[in-house]
Amino acid sequence: MKEKLFWLGMVVVIFSWFANYLYYESKQIDQNIFLEHYYEIYLQDETFVTFYYLSNKADRSRVSYAVLDGVEVYPVSDEGFWNDDSPTPKFEQEFSHQYLKSVRLQLPQHVLPLEAGTDNSWSFDEISFVFSDGQTVTANIGKVIVYGKLPNFDMLEMRVSSSSNQHREEESMVATTPLTVEAIKVPFSEYIVEDVFVKVNVNQKTLKKLETLMIGGDRPAWFEDRMNVEWNEVEGIAITDDIFPFKLEKNDWLQLSMLFNPERKSYFDFGVEIIGKTAEGEPFIRKSHINDHPFLTQQGVNEIISENKGEMKK
């Protein structure tokens, strides 16, 4: 009787082990999964760009190099990778069976099909990442645009900016010359139309109270709480409404309030474009910078893996 119980127990243990193994295997991804990124980068002496990807916890490989639009580029040091001298992995977030990792690539000027200081740009949406274990992952990474020079900020000078961990940003600026704002646009709008919302506020009576911040005065009472109010209570008009064109006189204020979908899974680093012309007819584009990362949940990771597996089956 005891012998039968012993073998029955062994069968249960083996079955349990086998079931756990099958469950573990079902949660593994076949290859590293890169997320979507929407970046605008400006060519400088040292230009870097960071991409994020999901990797199985047992995967100790790291990116050796990457090929984008025929250009071979290399990661910077070991940032975002496993430390070869330590069994502890470096990661951005940890999940049940995967890590969210990052790789920071350097884009050397001399290898890019773009000349610094020009008005030209270069873009790419696909990268082949070659890992140290020999695996190559060709991924659609969203879209990256590299510009030959920095944008002009002369027409609208930034005075106050703020952000919150609730995926909100705000920038207040002052016109240095009379001008007409003809449009305010969000780059990559064809991809992220449901993920970025922008309001513009030109209420001079309210905004000029911010001048006290420039001379060390006390902050207006509403300044501290404005990031916590509901979006529909934020002062301003949506840029999708029929508000253009409108004029600003010299020293008039303009405020942009920006809200990003907290449930999205893509990375943002770009500028909302304020487009217009001066009183003399000189055109300008002024960009209000956005840098916002998603905070992934286990459910979100499961969705990414499921979507990726579906794409691989097609």
Side-chain angles (χ1 to χ4, degrees), residues 283-301:
F284 72 88
I285 297 180
R286 202 276 194 195
K287 296 198 176 187
S288 185
H289 185 230
I290 286 174
N291 188 342
D292 192 74
H293 293 187
F295 185 83
L296 300 180
T297 63
Q298 183 64 60
Q299 180 180 344
V301 168

Side-chain angles (χ1 to χ4, degrees), residues 246-309:
F246 62 82
K247 295 182 181 296
L248 294 176
E249 299 300 325
K250 183 178 179 179
N251 296 324
D252 276 356
W253 284 69
L254 181 150
Q255 182 182 69
L256 290 185
S257 298
M258 295 161 279
L259 170 69
F260 319 115
N261 180 1
E263 297 181 1
R264 75 181 201 282
K265 307 177 186 73
S266 53
Y267 290 77
F268 293 165
D269 192 346
F270 56 80
V272 172
E273 299 175 345
I274 304 173
I275 303 167
K277 61 184 178 183
T278 65
E280 292 76 27
E282 180 184 355
F284 72 88
I285 297 180
R286 202 276 194 195
K287 296 198 176 187
S288 185
H289 185 230
I290 286 174
N291 188 342
D292 192 74
H293 293 187
F295 185 83
L296 300 180
T297 63
Q298 183 64 60
Q299 180 180 344
V301 168
N302 294 343
E303 291 172 355
I304 292 170
I305 293 173
S306 178
E307 291 168 4
N308 186 264
K309 287 182 178 179

Side-chain angles (χ1 to χ4, degrees), residues 4-286:
K4 288 183 178 180
L5 289 175
F6 170 78
W7 287 111
L8 179 60
M10 288 296 294
V11 169
V12 171
V13 169
I14 293 172
F15 179 80
S16 177
W17 176 88
F18 187 66
N20 288 336
Y21 174 77
L22 290 178
Y23 176 78
Y24 170 81
E25 284 296 309
S26 71
K27 297 300 180 181
Q28 301 302 291
I29 54 179
D30 296 331
Q31 64 179 24
N32 296 327
I33 299 175
F34 282 81
L35 278 64
E36 291 187 340
H37 312 74
Y38 296 99
Y39 292 163
E40 288 183 322
I41 301 172
Y42 299 92
L43 198 57
Q44 302 178 63
D45 292 338
E46 292 187 328
T47 305
F48 304 97
V49 58
T50 301
F51 297 102
Y52 297 84
Y53 64 97
L54 293 172
S55 176
N56 291 326
K57 284 187 171 181
D59 185 354
R60 296 182 61 89
S61 67
R62 60 184 186 274
V63 175
S64 296
Y65 65 93
V67 180
L68 47 101
D69 198 18
V71 177
E72 193 170 291
V73 296
Y74 294 85
V76 179
S77 68
D78 253 355
E79 186 172 347
F81 301 133
W82 293 80
N83 186 333
D84 290 337
D85 298 325
S86 170
T88 305
K90 291 183 179 180
F91 54 86
E92 307 292 332
Q93 285 184 249
E94 181 178 8
F95 303 97
S96 297
H97 299 278
Q98 282 78 34
Y99 289 123
L100 175 68
K101 297 183 182 179
S102 65
V103 55
R104 188 175 185 226
L105 302 176
Q106 184 173 13
L107 307 181
Q109 284 191 27
H110 68 278
V111 300
L112 302 184
L114 180 64
E115 186 177 348
T118 67
D119 292 324
N120 298 329
S121 64
W122 168 59
S123 66
F124 55 89
D125 54 21
E126 186 177 271
I127 303 180
S128 292
F129 294 91
V130 181
F131 286 81
S132 56
D133 62 357
Q135 177 187 196
T136 298
V137 177
T138 299
N140 185 326
I141 48 78
K143 189 163 187 176
V144 177
I145 303 175
V146 185
Y147 294 95
K149 65 179 181 181
L150 291 167
N152 187 343
F153 287 79
D154 293 345
M155 305 305 175
L156 287 160
E157 288 185 351
M158 191 274 287
R159 296 295 174 84
V160 182
S161 66
S162 56
S163 61
S164 79
N165 57 8
Q166 301 301 313
H167 302 281
R168 296 264 290 272
E169 290 196 24
E170 186 177 276
E171 183 175 3
S172 300
M173 57 205 86
V174 171
T176 60
T177 185
L179 52 84
T180 299
V181 176
E182 298 175 330
I184 298 177
K185 297 182 179 180
V186 177
F188 313 110
S189 58
E190 63 269 37
Y191 307 108
I192 58 175
V193 65
E194 298 296 331
D195 293 330
V196 181
F197 305 92
V198 182
K199 287 184 178 181
V200 58
N201 179 16
V202 291
N203 184 335
Q204 301 305 311
K205 182 178 179 180
T206 300
L207 293 176
K208 286 190 175 181
K209 295 178 181 178
L210 292 172
E211 290 177 354
T212 59
L213 301 179
M214 302 296 100
I215 56 176
D218 294 332
R219 296 188 174 194
W222 53 266
F223 186 87
E224 300 293 344
D225 299 327
R226 71 201 185 289
M227 282 294 191
N228 298 319
V229 303
E230 295 295 326
W231 179 249
N232 59 7
E233 297 177 9
V234 172
E235 187 173 3
I237 303 173
I239 62 172
T240 53
D241 290 348
D242 185 18
I243 60 174
F244 303 105
F246 62 82
K247 295 182 181 296
L248 294 176
E249 299 300 325
K250 183 178 179 179
N251 296 324
D252 276 356
W253 284 69
L254 181 150
Q255 182 182 69
L256 290 185
S257 298
M258 295 161 279
L259 170 69
F260 319 115
N261 180 1
E263 297 181 1
R264 75 181 201 282
K265 307 177 186 73
S266 53
Y267 290 77
F268 293 165
D269 192 346
F270 56 80
V272 172
E273 299 175 345
I274 304 173
I275 303 167
K277 61 184 178 183
T278 65
E280 292 76 27
E282 180 184 355
F284 72 88
I285 297 180
R286 202 276 194 195

